[in-house]
């Protein structure tokens, strides 16, 4: 059945309910002649007379009444489904897909996601946790999470965390045996735990900043790791100096299990941002999550 057939059936129903082509035409916002033509075309296609027309009123024939008995519940169900879809436009529901690092997932996203899912059970969230840079457009993600300094210009970015600092650290035992580096260049005399970047496969050059002076240092050591948690474990075990975002190791620094070095060379920089394509229209569920994640000073 074509769409114009459905339209003609709906027009027939309206005429039968109003018992008048004039009133039905006014209700539908069409001319009386156009409405009469649509009903006549429906009757011709079915080969049945559906309405009895008089000078004063219009009434369904017996066949027309039987057709109405079928159409009324069918159209009522369609209207209910459309109303449900309209409600979903304003109701937080559906799936939100986000890609992010494990650190961002645990420290920033999860506390908010945990609360949102309890408050809005119709929202479904998929977290893709990985340490590399993911193309959120080709991967069909609603959003990604990155540090502010690495965001693409064609993305809308919303700050979801405070400014952060990097931290260089080692176990007290390692520093007692090998000494404390005083400048970033001193790291070349130490065993450092290298980080292999998942996205490019290159070794991460440690970045330091002091009074506007920026230094990138390629470090050496016996260990190369592509997981930040393992880097911390290796530092705790005394295998050398590690380097990661400060709040990743703050509890170990507070307990004394790790000792911070080169503190004055680690200045604050933009923290985590949730980003998404400017061309994408956010859903109600996504807007709700975005507002809950938005960082407020």
């Amino acid at each position: 059945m074509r769409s114009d057939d459905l339209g003609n059936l709906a027009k027939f129903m309206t005429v039968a309910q109003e018992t008048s082509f004039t009133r039905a035409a006014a209700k539908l916002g069409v001319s009386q002649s156009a409405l009469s033509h649509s009903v006549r075309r429906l009757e011709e296609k079915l080969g049945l007379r559906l309405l009895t027309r008089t000078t004063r009123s219009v009434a369904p024939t017996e066949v027309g009444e039987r057709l109405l008995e079928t159409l009324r519940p069918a159209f009522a169900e369609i209207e209910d489904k459309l109303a449900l879809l309209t409600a979903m436009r304003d109701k937080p529901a559906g799936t939100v897909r986000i890609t992010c690092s494990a650190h961002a997932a645990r420290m920033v996203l999860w506390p908010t996601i945990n609360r949102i899912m309890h408050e809005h059970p119709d929202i479904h969230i998929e977290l893709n946790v990985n340490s590399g840079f993911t193309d959120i457009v080709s991967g069909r993600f609603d959003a990604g999470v990155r540090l502010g300094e690495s965001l693409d210009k064609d993305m809308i970015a919303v700050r979801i965390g405070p400014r952060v600092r990097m931290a260089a650290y080692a176990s007290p035992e390692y520093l007692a045996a090998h000494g404390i580096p005083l400048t970033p260049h001193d790291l070349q005399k130490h065993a450092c735990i290298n980080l292999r970047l998942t996205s490019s496969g290159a070794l991460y050059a440690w970045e330091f900043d002091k009074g506007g002076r920026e230094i990138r240092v390629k470090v050496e050591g016996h260990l190369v790791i592509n997981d930040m948690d393992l880097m911390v474990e290796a530092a705790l075990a005394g295998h050398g100096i590690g380097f990661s975002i400060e709040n990743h190791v703050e509890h170990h620094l507070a307990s004394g299990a790790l000792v911070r070095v080169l503190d004055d060379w680690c200045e604050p920089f933009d923290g985590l941002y949730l980003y998404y394509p400017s061309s994408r229209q956010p859903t109600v569920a996504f807007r709700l999550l975005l507002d809950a994640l938005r960082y407020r000073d």
Side-chain angles (χ1 to χ4, degrees):
M1 179 173 287
R2 298 180 305 179
S3 58
D4 57 342
D5 292 327
L6 288 174
N8 290 338
L9 286 170
K11 291 172 182 176
F12 158 69
M13 276 188 61
T14 304
V15 173
Q17 290 166 356
E18 297 295 329
T19 65
S20 166
F21 275 90
T22 302
R23 289 194 296 271
K27 186 174 184 178
L28 293 172
V30 298
S31 68
Q32 185 174 340
S33 60
L35 181 59
S36 178
H37 177 71
S38 295
V39 173
R40 188 176 296 111
R41 188 165 50 189
L42 176 63
E43 290 178 322
E44 289 173 354
K45 181 167 184 177
L46 295 176
L48 298 168
R49 187 170 182 175
L50 302 175
L51 295 172
T52 299
R53 301 165 175 83
T54 68
T55 56
R56 292 189 175 183
S57 66
V58 177
T61 64
E62 182 180 354
V63 174
E65 283 287 2
R66 291 186 181 182
L67 180 58
L68 285 170
E69 290 174 2
T70 301
L71 293 178
R72 286 189 184 108
F75 273 87
E77 184 177 357
I78 291 173
E79 288 178 358
D80 289 342
K81 294 295 184 183
L82 290 175
L84 180 61
L85 290 174
T86 302
M88 286 179 65
R89 182 185 61 195
D90 302 318
K91 178 183 178 182
T95 299
V96 179
R97 301 182 71 234
I98 300 175
T99 179
C100 62
S101 68
H103 176 70
R106 293 190 184 98
M107 299 298 294
V108 179
L109 295 180
W110 176 245
T112 298
I113 288 173
N114 182 37
R115 175 174 59 82
I116 290 293
M117 294 189 70
H118 280 300
E119 294 174 354
H120 302 278
D122 291 328
I123 292 180
H124 299 264
I125 296 175
E126 178 182 341
L127 277 183
N128 177 266
V129 179
N130 65 77
S131 56
F133 284 169
T134 301
D135 185 336
I136 62 172
V137 176
S138 63
R140 301 183 66 82
F141 289 100
D142 294 290
V145 175
R146 287 186 189 172
L147 293 172
E149 59 184 12
S150 60
L151 290 170
D152 295 331
K153 293 181 179 180
D154 60 344
M155 294 288 172
I156 295 176
V158 176
R159 188 179 175 191
I160 62 173
R163 287 171 63 81
V164 296
R165 299 173 70 210
M166 298 299 290
Y169 48 83
S171 68
E173 294 78 13
Y174 173 86
L175 295 176
H178 301 280
I180 298 174
L182 300 179
T183 71
H185 292 300
D186 291 341
L187 292 172
Q188 295 172 347
K189 306 172 186 176
H190 285 266
C192 295
I193 304 163
N194 257 308
L195 179 69
R196 178 79 67 184
L197 297 174
T198 304
S199 55
S200 65
L203 294 177
Y204 170 59
W206 294 11
E207 300 169 278
F208 295 93
D209 185 5
K210 182 178 182 180
R213 182 187 175 193
E214 298 181 1
I215 297 178
R216 293 167 64 91
V217 180
K218 292 184 178 180
V219 298
E220 301 289 339
H222 303 291
L223 270 176
V224 177
I225 294 174
N226 70 344
D227 180 83
M228 201 66 72
D229 288 335
L230 283 178
M231 175 182 279
V232 176
E233 291 296 323
L236 287 167
H239 291 293
I241 299 175
F243 191 65
S244 60
I245 293 176
E246 180 182 54
N247 60 12
H248 196 72
V249 291
E250 57 189 0
H251 57 293
H252 293 303
L253 296 174
S255 69
L258 291 173
V259 176
R260 184 168 191 155
V261 297
L262 301 173
D263 185 24
D264 56 336
W265 279 92
C266 297
E267 295 190 353
F269 59 94
D270 279 347
L272 293 172
Y273 282 73
L274 185 141
Y275 65 98
Y276 59 96
S278 56
S279 59
R280 181 167 296 172
Q281 181 67 31
T283 63
V284 174
F286 179 77
R287 290 200 303 269
L288 178 75
L289 180 61
L290 180 62
D291 186 62
L293 286 168
R294 190 186 304 271
Y295 180 75
R296 297 168 175 85
D297 292 319

